[in-house]
């Protein structure tokens, strides 16, 4: 068992001096950081480095000055996201980025190198795709190029050698070969296959910005576009002007407001039905404090159970399992009041004598071990006692496998299945946590939509006004609540609450 470390001022001070920023200190040594924060040591000479938060840009001139340092919008967004988002929200983006180059128009090519100085090995590539996407393709486990020999090594570097200036004929005739020869003269070991040099590796269809925009007009939605013309959709998705290409496609996600939520509620007889049929609308109504009003016409399905009512419904069933599945509220009430044996005295006690053959047959009904244990606990328990549990669960998902090991490649491929980080986290919390811990989350989620709201004191105050207690505030608007707590605004914005 690992002994828990006891942090004091001296050990925290030594640990803190390993890092240049508070965020690095917090992420790498959370225990030490929390101790320093609790004891009030963060503001002392213990943490001599600058505070991790950058000043928030306020003026057009500030944003423009920072934007002039970058050649491409994607580079500006990646390295100075605060300034980029400020420009986008204020409508300054086109103005501050007017000096920037377009990475690709789907027609011309650029040349890039992937090299490892330690191994003295280099791979020369040429592409008309978005360069960052091309790098990600090389890192994929599906990549078939010789770059895979070095691409995932920690000390391998990427370099864009030329701008997007070469046509398809240039590539075939000289461009790629020229840079391969140049690197050979400098003493590098070239990994490229000589046969592949000069080949384009794609169809001759040229997806320019105008062609992509025309193509998008043929479809009803993004998913329709993606399913019917995957190659064009992929190029459009990574295009520098992708927002203009996709603006013609309707957003199919319904935007709930008071009117649409009220109309949905009118279709339902009780709250359970409303929550099941319209979960997002139900959540919107709860978050905005209008649930009581729009559900006022619904039947009240809540039952205040007492002994007489529980006995009455229990008489309908011959076994406890059926009773629990049909009237879980009554069953729980009886359990809580210690009268379960009394109200189920007439029921048949289902103690089954399972043979090995019957256990195997029972297990075949379920896809996972959890389902098997939950729905047929006695069979699962006997299987463990008889040492046949692994055999009867062999057909199940992960039935005879060790827990999944999340490698970089698996995490990257998995993340591509989701549009937002919240979807990724909800469906694969283990993978999401592993990505965050290994500090690759930003990289593998770079393609995702950014839905996070930037909370300031004014917007948090407005949000907090919607709730009558801190618990409701925290549950419904976690981002605002956490921001208020971190900045010390919580007492201020929650002053009206009980």
């Amino acid at each position: 068992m690992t002994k828990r470390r006891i942090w004091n001022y001296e050990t925290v001070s030594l640990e803190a001096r390993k890092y240049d920023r508070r965020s690095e200190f917090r992420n790498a040594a959370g225990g030490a950081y929390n101790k320093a924060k609790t004891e009030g040591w963060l503001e002392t000479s213990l943490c001599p480095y600058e505070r991790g938060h950058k000043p928030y840009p306020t003026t057009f001139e500030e944003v423009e000055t920072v934007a002039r340092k970058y050649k491409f919008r994607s580079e500006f967004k990646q390295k100075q996201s605060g300034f980029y988002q400020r420009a986008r929200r204020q409508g300054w983006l086109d103005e501050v980025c007017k000096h920037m180059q377009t990475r690709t128009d789907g027609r011309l090519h650029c040349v890039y190198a992937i090299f490892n100085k330690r191994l003295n090995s280099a791979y020369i590539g040429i592409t008309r795709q978005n360069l960052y996407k091309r790098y990600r393709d090389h890192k994929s486990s599906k990549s078939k190029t010789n770059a895979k020999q070095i691409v995932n090594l920690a000390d391998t570097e990427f370099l864009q050698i030329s701008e997007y200036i070469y046509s398809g004929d240039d590539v075939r005739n000289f461009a790629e070969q020229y840079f391969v020869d140049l690197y050979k003269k400098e003493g590098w070991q070239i990994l490229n296959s000589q046969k592949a040099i000069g080949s384009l590796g794609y169809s001759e269809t040229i997806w320019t910005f105008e062609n992509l925009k025309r193509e998008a007009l043929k479809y009803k939605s993004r998913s329709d576009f993606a399913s019917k013309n995957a190659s064009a959709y992929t190029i459009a998705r990574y295009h520098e002007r992708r927002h203009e290409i996709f603006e013609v496609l309707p957003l199919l996600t319904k935007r709930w407001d008071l009117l649409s939520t009220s109309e949905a509620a009118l279709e339902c007889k009780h709250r359970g039905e409303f929550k099941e049929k319209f979960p997002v609308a139900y959540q919107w109504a709860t978050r905005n404090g209008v649930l009581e009003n729009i559900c006022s016409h619904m039947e009240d399905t809540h039952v205040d159970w007492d002994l007489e009512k529980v006995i009455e419904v229990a008489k309908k069933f011959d076994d406890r399992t059926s009773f629990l599945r049909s009237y879980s509220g009554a069953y729980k009430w009886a359990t809580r009041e210690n009268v379960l044996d009394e109200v189920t005295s007439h029921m048949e006690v289902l103690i089954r004598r399972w043979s090995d053959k019957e256990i195997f047959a029972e297990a075949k009904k379920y896809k996972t071990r959890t389902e098997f244990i939950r729905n047929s606990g006695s069979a699962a328990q006997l299987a463990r006692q008889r040492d046949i549990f692994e055999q009867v669960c062999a057909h199940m998902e992960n039935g005879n496998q060790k827990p999944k090991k999340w490698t970089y490649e698996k995490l990257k491929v998995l993340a591509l299945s989701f549009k937002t980080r919240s979807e990724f986290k909800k469906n694969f919390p283990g993978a999401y946590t592993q990505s965050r811990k290994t500090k690759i989350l930003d990289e593998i989620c770079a393609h995702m939509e950014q839905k996070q709201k930037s909370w300031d004191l004014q917007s948090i105050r407005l949000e907090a006004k919607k709730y009558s207690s801190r618990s409701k505030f925290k549950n419904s608007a976690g981002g605002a609540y956490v921001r208020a707590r971190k900045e010390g605004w919580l007492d201020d914005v929650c002053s009206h609450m009980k």
Side-chain angles (χ1 to χ4, degrees):
M1 183 177 176
T2 305
K3 188 176 180 180
R4 184 179 177 184
R5 185 168 183 179
I6 304 299
W7 292 103
N8 55 38
Y9 185 87
E10 288 73 21
T11 54
V12 171
S13 181
L14 287 172
E15 184 68 23
R17 293 183 186 281
K18 298 177 183 178
Y19 312 102
D20 296 325
R21 302 180 72 84
R22 291 194 181 189
S23 56
E24 292 177 10
F25 180 25
R26 183 180 64 244
N27 294 337
Y33 180 89
N34 289 333
K35 178 68 173 177
K37 186 176 180 181
T38 303
E39 298 295 336
W41 299 336
L42 285 178
E43 306 304 328
T44 68
S45 59
L46 178 146
C47 300
Y49 38 75
E50 295 179 7
R51 185 171 179 81
H53 301 294
K54 297 179 181 178
Y56 188 73
T58 56
T59 66
F60 175 85
E61 289 71 22
E62 284 182 287
V63 176
E64 185 180 35
T65 300
V66 172
R68 288 193 177 279
K69 299 177 183 178
Y70 304 100
K71 290 183 178 181
F72 307 105
R73 289 196 185 195
S74 54
E75 186 181 14
F76 178 31
K77 182 179 180 181
Q78 183 183 29
K79 295 183 178 179
Q80 295 288 352
S81 61
F83 288 85
Y84 181 93
Q85 296 301 339
R86 174 70 168 172
R88 182 181 60 79
R89 285 194 295 269
Q90 296 296 328
W92 303 335
L93 198 56
D94 290 337
E95 181 65 21
V96 300
C97 297
K98 62 184 179 183
H99 67 284
M100 296 181 184
Q101 303 169 22
T102 302
R103 279 202 181 273
T104 175
D105 61 1
R107 182 174 60 88
L108 297 177
H109 304 70
C110 79
V111 181
Y112 61 92
I114 302 173
F115 58 93
N116 187 294
K117 292 179 182 178
R118 175 173 53 84
L119 300 175
N120 195 40
S121 299
Y123 176 88
I124 309 302
I126 195 159
T127 185
R128 64 175 184 175
Q129 290 179 304
N130 176 284
L131 199 58
Y132 290 125
K133 179 184 183 301
R134 189 66 187 125
Y135 289 164
R136 289 196 293 270
D137 290 344
H138 275 298
K139 287 187 173 184
S140 169
S141 58
K142 297 179 181 179
S143 175
K144 296 180 181 179
T145 66
N146 291 341
K148 64 186 177 183
Q149 297 177 32
I150 61 171
V151 73
N152 286 311
L153 299 178
D155 54 346
T156 292
E157 300 177 53
F158 296 82
L159 178 67
Q160 182 177 351
I161 303 174
S162 79
E163 302 296 341
Y164 286 85
I165 55 176
Y166 297 112
S167 66
D169 288 336
D170 293 337
V171 175
R172 294 189 192 91
N173 296 332
F174 72 90
E176 191 172 11
Q177 185 66 59
Y178 171 80
F179 287 101
V180 167
D181 293 342
L182 188 64
Y183 268 66
K184 277 183 179 177
K185 286 180 183 178
E186 293 180 0
W188 290 90
Q189 179 185 346
I190 302 300
L191 300 177
N192 297 61
S193 167
Q194 190 61 40
K195 292 181 181 179
I197 294 175
S199 62
L200 294 177
Y202 59 82
S203 68
E204 289 297 327
T205 304
I206 296 175
W207 291 110
T208 62
F209 170 74
E210 290 74 17
N211 288 343
L212 288 169
K213 201 159 185 179
R214 278 195 292 271
E215 184 69 16
L217 289 169
K218 300 177 183 178
Y219 308 103
K220 296 179 180 179
S221 65
R222 283 197 183 195
S223 57
D224 189 30
F225 187 3
S227 63
K228 293 180 179 176
N229 195 334
S231 60
Y233 177 81
T234 301
I235 293 172
R237 187 179 167 200
Y238 290 98
H239 199 283
E240 194 77 11
R241 299 169 67 183
R242 55 187 173 275
H243 297 299
E244 297 175 56
I245 296 169
F246 290 125
E247 68 182 359
V248 298
L249 298 175
L251 186 65
L252 296 184
T253 304
K254 187 175 180 64
R255 298 289 185 185
W256 292 101
D257 54 26
L258 183 58
L259 179 61
S260 57
T261 305
S262 300
E263 290 174 349
L266 287 171
E267 297 179 22
C268 307
K269 294 181 179 180
H270 52 79
R271 290 194 187 191
E273 183 185 1
F274 181 30
K275 188 175 182 179
E276 184 178 351
K277 288 178 67 175
F278 302 99
V280 181
Y282 185 93
Q283 187 180 16
W284 185 94
T286 305
R287 188 169 60 246
N288 289 278
V290 297
L291 188 65
E292 295 295 333
N293 292 336
I294 66 174
C295 296
S296 58
H297 67 284
M298 296 181 181
E299 300 171 7
D300 186 3
T301 56
H302 175 73
V303 178
D304 291 322
W305 294 105
D306 56 32
L307 184 59
E308 186 179 347
K309 290 177 182 177
V310 172
I311 291 175
E312 185 179 346
V313 296
K315 287 178 180 178
K316 300 177 182 179
F317 304 99
D318 296 326
D319 61 85
R320 289 190 180 189
T321 304
S322 302
F323 178 29
L324 172 61
R325 288 176 179 171
S326 300
Y327 287 91
S328 60
Y331 188 97
K332 290 175 182 177
W333 184 92
T335 304
R336 189 167 58 248
E337 298 297 327
N338 295 318
V339 294
L340 186 62
D341 291 337
E342 179 185 345
V343 300
T344 59
S345 58
H346 66 285
M347 296 182 183
E348 181 184 356
V349 180
L350 298 178
I351 300 176
R352 184 168 181 177
R353 301 296 179 186
W354 293 94
S355 66
D356 287 0
K357 185 176 180 180
E358 287 174 326
I359 292 174
F360 273 93
E362 182 68 16
K364 290 290 184 184
K365 299 176 183 178
Y366 308 105
K367 294 181 179 179
T368 65
R369 296 184 182 202
T370 305
E371 289 180 8
F372 180 32
I373 295 168
R374 183 186 296 130
N375 295 292
S376 191
S378 59
Q381 187 176 5
L382 279 174
R384 288 188 187 280
Q385 291 173 0
R386 297 175 187 175
D387 291 328
I388 59 172
F389 188 75
E390 294 296 331
Q391 299 171 44
V392 302
C393 297
H395 67 286
M396 298 178 186
E397 296 173 12
N398 292 326
N400 55 357
Q401 299 174 11
K402 294 180 180 178
K404 184 182 284 291
K405 266 195 172 181
W406 290 114
T407 62
Y408 173 84
E409 289 75 17
K410 288 178 181 177
L411 290 168
K412 186 177 175 183
V413 171
L414 183 63
L416 290 172
S417 307
F418 302 100
K419 294 181 179 179
T420 63
R421 291 194 184 198
S422 56
E423 288 181 13
F424 182 23
K425 185 176 182 180
K426 181 179 178 182
N427 288 279
F428 288 90
Y432 182 92
T433 302
Q434 180 66 14
S435 304
R436 181 172 54 77
K437 283 183 177 178
T438 53
K439 299 181 180 179
I440 62 169
L441 187 63
D442 290 339
E443 180 184 347
I444 67 174
C445 296
H447 66 285
M448 296 182 182
E449 300 170 8
Q450 298 296 321
K451 291 190 174 181
Q452 184 174 357
K453 183 170 182 177
S454 179
W455 292 103
D456 56 23
L457 180 57
Q458 188 60 28
S459 59
I460 291 174
R461 274 185 180 145
L462 291 172
E463 183 67 21
K465 291 286 185 187
K466 301 174 184 176
Y467 311 104
S468 58
S469 68
R470 292 195 182 195
S471 59
K472 289 181 180 178
F473 179 26
K474 183 179 180 181
N475 293 336
S476 300
Y481 182 91
V482 171
R483 171 74 171 169
R485 179 173 57 77
K486 284 183 177 179
E487 299 296 338
W489 302 334
L490 203 55
D491 290 336
D492 177 15
V493 301
C494 298
S495 58
H496 65 286
M497 297 180 183
K498 297 176 184 178

